[in-house]
Amino acid sequence: MPRASIQTARPALRRLPTRPSRVVQAVLQQLLPLVFLGQRLQLQNSTAAQRLVAEFLAQQNGERNLLIAFRHPSPRDPLVLADLFWSCVPRMAGRLGHPLPRRVSLRFLYDRGIPLWAGPVIGWLLQRSGGIAIHRGRLDRPALNQAREALAQGRQALVVAPEGATNNLSGEMAPLEPGVAQLAFWAAEDMARNQDPRSLHVIPVGIRYSWRRPNWTVLDARLQALEQHLGVQAVVPEDRRERLLCIGAALITALEQLERLKANPEQPLADRIENYRLHGLQKAESHFGLRASGTLQERCRRIEQAAWDRIYRENLEQLPPLERSLVDWEAREADLQLTRMRLVEHFTSVSGHYITDQPEFDRFAEMVQLVEEAIGWIEDRPWSGSPCFGPQRVELSVGEAIPVDQRRDDYRRDRRRAVQTLMSELDAELERLMRSTGTTPEIGEPP
């Protein structure tokens, strides 16, 4: 993600309406295979498509409403899921002799900030693909009400990412946000009030990326490039984990110096990273007068929203010159705090345990990419990341459906507990999918 450079306050962010276009979706559907070819990405989704056929048949026949909750390890996930829903599921339905009555239609939640860094073209495409823009750092009632209405009406499946944002790790989940379960119960209550007999299912979808041909020579070259860039000397060249930890230590030392934190080289790297995270968050929260509570993701979203409130302003043209200059000053300071928060976000997934638990190529490669991305963010220029790790595959899997309408009585008795129970089941199922992906051969492939 490129770093913005804000010099002046900007007009207030307007709501981005949902304007689905079948023409745009049809064009994207045709272009996606070319995109995957250019990215050297091989999709393995036949098993997932087969499991989804029955759910979409029931939804289109007026028997069921669907909330699809997917793992979100990569920015490429929306493209992968679009191909699954728009192309693979209908094609699999035809192969199974149960063609879908109509095209798959979706609504999905996406962060209102994406068009700010990805550009207006991406924002336009998200709107035309059925996206509902939501401000993640505050209670965005209009967006939540739109998503709730779409889920209760059931004409389109609603697609959400319970993790809220990418963590760039296929083998480790970020904490899930409980808003997904709350949204499902709201819709179930609306359906009950309207005497709607349909069921409501939450469908867990797992996504896992891996390199098709692990190349340890390339990994060593990438490690060596990082070591040279940071001035790190590899003590034991054969110990890749130790080399990666030394790289991480050099990087966190530089950040500690930037923040004037007292460095302790004897302290475990994980503890130093955690201290840096907390310091960065507390500094930004203090600047904006925010209360330090909730998960790391929730705190980051509040900081982001507070920065936006100072950067994107109402009635800028009506301010007198001095007040306008002060508003511009405040916007620049807010952007600096937002940059600090982004640095913290880049370190949310950097740790030694990820490669210690399973010292496999994919995990090493993901951690190297995270470190490269962090350096690129600090230096405000993309890291080359060469030589390339090679082509990748993405495996999609579908878990057991979690019925929501059957839990309405539990929700009415104890809302908090019902939401927690549903989120626990969803978390467990997504975790199971994450652990089991890669063990089941594709349809038509040898075991």
Side-chain angles (χ1 to χ4, degrees):
M1 182 190 302
R3 181 170 61 190
S5 179
I6 302 296
Q7 298 300 319
T8 61
R10 301 180 180 183
L13 292 175
R14 303 302 179 191
R15 293 206 61 79
L16 296 180
T18 304
R19 294 172 176 168
S21 166
R22 289 189 176 184
V23 174
V24 171
Q25 293 176 27
V27 172
L28 286 175
Q29 183 178 348
Q30 297 301 315
L31 290 177
L32 284 175
L34 298 177
V35 172
F36 298 140
L37 183 64
Q39 294 183 348
R40 305 175 71 188
L41 190 64
Q42 177 192 40
L43 274 64
Q44 295 186 353
N45 49 22
S46 296
T47 304
Q50 185 179 37
R51 298 203 62 176
L52 285 171
V53 166
E55 297 291 342
F56 275 102
L57 273 173
Q59 183 252 338
Q60 294 193 4
N61 289 331
E63 302 168 10
R64 187 170 303 156
N65 294 10
L66 298 181
L67 192 160
I68 298 171
F70 67 96
R71 268 236 59 211
H72 199 9
S74 168
R76 293 176 290 179
D77 298 340
L79 299 179
V80 169
L81 290 172
D83 183 73
L84 172 66
F85 297 135
W86 290 345
S87 298
C88 298
V89 170
R91 187 164 56 243
M92 179 59 68
R95 286 175 55 186
L96 296 175
H98 304 291
L100 298 179
R102 58 183 183 274
R103 294 168 57 94
V104 172
S105 182
L106 306 169
R107 292 291 181 269
F108 58 92
L109 290 172
Y110 70 94
D111 180 17
R112 175 62 180 85
I114 289 178
L116 299 180
W117 57 264
V121 173
I122 298 299
W124 186 87
L125 289 174
L126 289 170
Q127 290 176 265
R128 268 66 185 180
S129 300
I132 301 172
I134 186 169
H135 289 262
R136 293 187 298 169
R138 68 183 187 208
L139 184 60
D140 190 346
R141 293 188 183 278
L144 289 173
N145 288 338
Q146 185 181 353
R148 174 178 179 171
E149 181 180 359
L151 182 57
Q153 290 180 350
R155 288 193 290 268
Q156 301 93 17
L158 180 66
V159 184
V160 296
E163 291 167 278
T166 60
N167 71 348
N168 298 297
L169 300 178
S170 286
E172 186 169 282
M173 280 201 309
L176 304 188
E177 298 179 354
V180 176
Q182 183 62 73
L183 190 59
F185 279 118
W186 282 341
E189 289 286 274
D190 293 343
M191 294 169 65
R193 276 192 294 271
N194 295 328
Q195 297 183 336
D196 190 332
R198 294 175 295 180
S199 59
L200 194 161
H201 281 186
V202 176
I203 310 297
V205 174
I207 304 178
R208 182 181 182 87
Y209 296 82
S210 61
W211 278 269
R212 292 163 61 184
R213 290 184 291 273
N215 191 327
W216 292 98
T217 302
V218 168
L219 180 70
D220 290 337
R222 297 273 280 268
L223 287 172
Q224 185 177 20
L226 286 169
E227 289 165 342
Q228 292 174 349
H229 191 78
L230 297 172
V232 175
Q233 180 66 40
V235 179
V236 185
E238 297 79 13
D239 191 339
R240 297 184 179 96
R241 176 184 177 276
E242 189 61 32
R243 291 175 67 185
L244 193 52
L245 290 177
C246 288
I247 290 168
L251 189 54
I252 200 66
T253 297
L255 292 173
E256 287 170 340
Q257 293 172 353
L258 174 67
E259 296 290 349
R260 292 177 172 80
L261 286 170
K262 186 176 180 180
N264 180 6
E266 301 302 320
Q267 192 177 22
L269 178 60
D271 293 342
R272 295 174 65 186
I273 291 175
E274 182 63 18
N275 290 339
Y276 168 74
R277 289 174 185 159
L278 294 176
H279 173 83
L281 289 177
Q282 290 167 358
K283 202 166 183 177
E285 287 165 341
S286 176
H287 177 85
F288 293 123
L290 298 174
R291 184 166 54 92
S293 63
T295 65
L296 186 143
Q297 287 84 355
E298 291 169 343
R299 295 172 70 180
C300 286
R301 296 290 71 77
R302 283 197 298 270
I303 293 170
E304 180 181 64
Q305 188 59 54
W308 286 1
D309 290 342
R310 288 155 178 80
I311 295 171
Y312 301 96
R313 302 273 192 150
E314 296 281 358
N315 305 319
L316 281 176
E317 66 283 353
Q318 299 177 13
L319 297 177
L322 179 61
E323 189 173 347
R324 173 58 194 262
S325 295
L326 292 174
V327 165
D328 290 341
W329 192 334
E330 191 173 31
R332 287 193 292 272
E333 289 185 330
D335 184 57
L336 178 62
Q337 299 301 326
L338 191 59
T339 301
R340 174 174 280 110
M341 186 273 289
R342 298 292 188 213
L343 271 174
V344 169
E345 278 194 313
H346 275 82
F347 278 87
T348 57
S349 304
V350 176
S351 66
H353 78 84
Y354 188 63
I355 51 178
T356 301
D357 294 345
Q358 295 184 38
E360 56 191 27
F361 178 84
D362 290 332
R363 294 198 172 204
F364 272 103
E366 287 176 340
M367 292 302 296
V368 166
Q369 288 184 330
L370 277 172
V371 173
E372 291 172 343
E373 186 179 351
I375 293 174
W377 177 265
I378 294 169
E379 298 180 351
D380 200 15
R381 57 184 178 184
W383 181 275
S384 61
S386 60
C388 178
F389 284 128
Q392 282 186 287
R393 68 168 60 88
V394 54
E395 301 168 83
L396 293 101
S397 53
V398 176
E400 295 297 326
I402 303 174
V404 179
D405 50 292
Q406 302 173 10
R407 305 163 187 253
R408 279 195 293 257
D409 290 340
D410 295 336
Y411 179 71
R412 291 163 183 166
R413 282 193 296 269
D414 190 335
R415 295 188 175 190
R416 183 186 297 273
R417 184 173 182 179
V419 167
Q420 290 175 343
T421 300
L422 179 54
M423 289 309 301
S424 295
E425 292 185 27
L426 177 59
D427 183 271
E429 190 62 14
L430 287 173
E431 184 81 21
R432 184 187 68 80
L433 291 174
M434 184 176 65
R435 302 301 177 197
S436 62
T437 302
T439 61
T440 303
E442 283 285 282
I443 294 176
E445 292 186 359

